[in-house]
Amino acid sequence: MNKQVIPSEQIGSIPRAPELINAYKLFKDNRLGYDELCNIAESETLKVMKDLEQLGCEVISDGEQRKFDGFAHYCLHNSCCYEPNGLLVDFSDGHSRVFAPHLKVAPFKYEHTADEFLQFALQHTNVPVKQAVISPSMLSLVYPNKGLENYNHQQFIEDLIEQHVNEVKRCLELGAHKVQIDFTEARLSLKLDPSGELLNSFVDLINKCLSNFNENEISRIGIHTCPGADIDSTHSAEVDYKYLLPTLFEINAGNFYVAIRGEKEPEKALYLLGNVIKPNQRVFVGVTNPISKEIETPESVCDLLLTAAKYIPVEQLGSTDDCGFSPFADDISTAREVAYQKIKARLEGTKLAEKKLGLS
């Protein structure tokens, strides 16, 4: 009989090296070609993947080195169909980011898709690779409030669903270990609309997309939620999880990646998770905080997982990081080595928790 284990996965992003950050700046200033930028990013991807393997990760990502604008709208990168302005999100330290640039030329379509990145990664490793994609709900916000001539909102939503579903299907067909839908706007939506109507509309849209997948595919699809993680700050940490988690777990996905380490009351959040998780779902709890300078110890990771096991069935439990490390490409607040130390603590702490729970 096989011993039960707690799977551990990262969210996706790893801090970019100065060379890649500088190359992207040169590209934006029209002083570097796109092909050369991609070559540098692919070289960095190979380094990151090798590093993650050497750390002992049983599942890796490509570090999102080619998501040049960050995770929120990588699929629109280098497209002339979008305005530079759009949904502006404010962070707790006072800075802002454009999350969803407004569409100006119909129809809506992706310029790049995540399966491009996954295909490259799979060619250079024998370790399982997960692939993160942006949520359709985030991309739904690129449609301008003023509308577009001869392209109504319903046409836009139909095109958006088609683009998202096809992207996820291609990733699964390529052999992604998991496809993770980044749903950072979930908690943010409650800050923008405390009534919950916006969140409900986002969940409905995601479920409409997921209705195109069978049970086996659903078991390999996950949802990531966090309060944001950019330049050591958040965009919605003040929103209580009790208003988010019950609705979030109405999404028909097999896996959930939930930020916990950075919460003010992590045990309260774990208690809530234990009450909303369904039998066919697994929750990966965040055990390291990517925007904290403190390096977690394996023991602290273990302790958090032992607390989680009080409320969540162990066979439905996993560990992860609260968020990606530097998920926006120009974020230099976290050194790559710090990210690796945190990942190592997560891996070792998860193994320690398995031993203390008698699973290995």
Side-chain angles (χ1 to χ4, degrees):
M1 182 177 177
N2 291 330
K3 290 286 187 178
Q4 192 176 51
V5 297
I6 301 172
S8 192
E9 300 176 10
Q10 69 176 100
I11 294 301
S13 186
I14 294 293
R16 281 70 167 178
E19 180 186 10
L20 181 54
I21 293 174
N22 291 332
Y24 184 45
K25 290 178 181 177
L26 291 173
F27 168 75
K28 290 196 291 185
D29 292 339
N30 295 313
R31 292 191 289 155
L32 185 72
Y34 186 66
D35 287 344
E36 189 173 353
L37 174 64
C38 287
N39 287 337
I40 295 170
E42 288 182 352
S43 177
E44 284 299 311
T45 297
L46 296 178
K47 290 179 184 177
V48 167
M49 290 170 57
K50 183 177 180 181
D51 290 343
L52 293 174
E53 288 182 31
Q54 291 179 341
L55 282 170
C57 297
E58 296 180 358
V59 177
I60 65 171
S61 76
D62 68 352
E64 302 189 353
Q65 303 297 291
R66 283 192 60 191
K67 290 184 177 178
F68 299 121
D69 291 325
F71 76 100
H73 53 265
Y74 63 86
C75 51
L76 315 180
H77 175 73
N78 208 27
S79 172
C80 61
C81 297
Y82 300 87
E83 303 280 359
N85 61 306
L87 173 69
L88 195 65
V89 174
D90 298 324
F91 283 79
S92 54
D93 69 346
H95 84 277
S96 302
R97 291 275 190 188
V98 173
F99 270 48
H102 285 159
L103 181 67
K104 65 178 181 179
V105 178
F108 172 82
K109 62 179 182 178
Y110 287 8
E111 189 74 22
H112 300 279
T113 55
D115 51 288
E116 299 172 29
F117 313 140
L118 177 63
Q119 186 170 34
F120 176 83
L122 289 172
Q123 291 171 349
H124 295 91
T125 185
N126 293 316
V127 177
V129 181
K130 71 180 290 187
Q131 181 60 57
V133 301
I134 191 57
S135 67
S137 46
M138 174 64 79
L139 293 175
S140 72
L141 301 173
V142 308
Y143 191 81
N145 292 332
K146 63 183 179 181
L148 287 171
E149 188 175 357
N150 299 320
Y151 190 60
N152 63 42
H153 188 259
Q154 184 57 39
Q155 291 174 301
F156 162 74
I157 291 295
E158 290 173 1
D159 289 339
L160 167 58
I161 291 173
E162 181 182 24
Q163 294 284 297
H164 174 76
V165 169
N166 287 341
E167 178 186 46
V168 174
K169 280 192 176 291
R170 286 193 299 269
C171 288
L172 291 172
E173 288 167 0
L174 280 171
H177 176 73
K178 298 274 181 59
V179 176
Q180 171 189 289
I181 298 172
D182 286 332
F183 192 21
T184 187
E185 70 280 14
R187 203 167 183 178
L188 178 64
S189 72
L190 289 167
K191 181 178 177 180
L192 301 175
D193 174 20
S195 75
E197 288 186 16
L198 182 58
L199 174 62
N200 286 331
S201 71
F202 285 167
V203 168
D204 287 345
L205 177 57
I206 293 172
N207 275 335
K208 183 173 286 189
C209 291
L210 292 176
S211 69
N212 291 276
F213 298 90
N214 61 39
E215 186 176 341
N216 178 61
E217 290 170 326
I218 290 295
S219 71
R220 294 165 57 201
I221 295 174
I223 304 292
H224 168 53
T225 186
C226 69
D230 185 36
I231 316 179
D232 293 346
S233 59
T234 62
H235 55 55
S236 55
E238 65 271 34
V239 175
D240 197 308
Y241 263 152
K242 69 181 180 182
Y243 300 114
L244 170 64
L245 295 180
T247 302
L248 182 76
F249 276 75
E250 290 303 314
I251 296 176
N252 184 33
N255 306 274
F256 291 81
Y257 302 83
V258 181
I260 294 294
R261 172 63 72 178
E263 291 298 302
K264 290 183 179 179
E265 298 179 274
E267 187 161 0
K268 175 186 172 184
L270 292 168
Y271 170 79
L272 289 169
L273 284 172
N275 279 279
V276 298
I277 190 171
K278 298 176 181 177
N280 60 337
Q281 296 171 334
R282 183 186 294 275
V283 59
F284 292 77
V285 301
V287 294
T288 68
N289 184 358
I291 62 173
S292 170
K293 301 302 183 186
E294 179 184 354
I295 306 296
E296 292 82 3
T297 64
E299 290 75 19
S300 70
V301 168
C302 174
D303 289 344
L304 187 52
L305 286 171
L306 294 179
T307 301
K310 290 165 51 179
Y311 306 106
I312 302 164
V314 177
E315 64 272 15
Q316 294 177 262
L317 180 62
S319 69
T320 187
D321 309 300
D322 274 1
C323 190
F325 294 91
S326 303
F328 292 93
D330 60 356
D331 182 358
I332 59 173
S333 61
T334 301
R336 184 176 288 182
E337 184 54 38
V338 169
Y340 288 162
Q341 290 178 47
K342 287 174 173 281
I343 290 171
K344 185 177 181 181
R346 166 169 55 80
L347 296 173
E348 293 180 355
T350 302
K351 293 297 182 185
L352 185 58
E354 289 176 354
K355 290 180 180 178
K356 292 203 173 187
L357 290 167
L359 306 178
S360 62

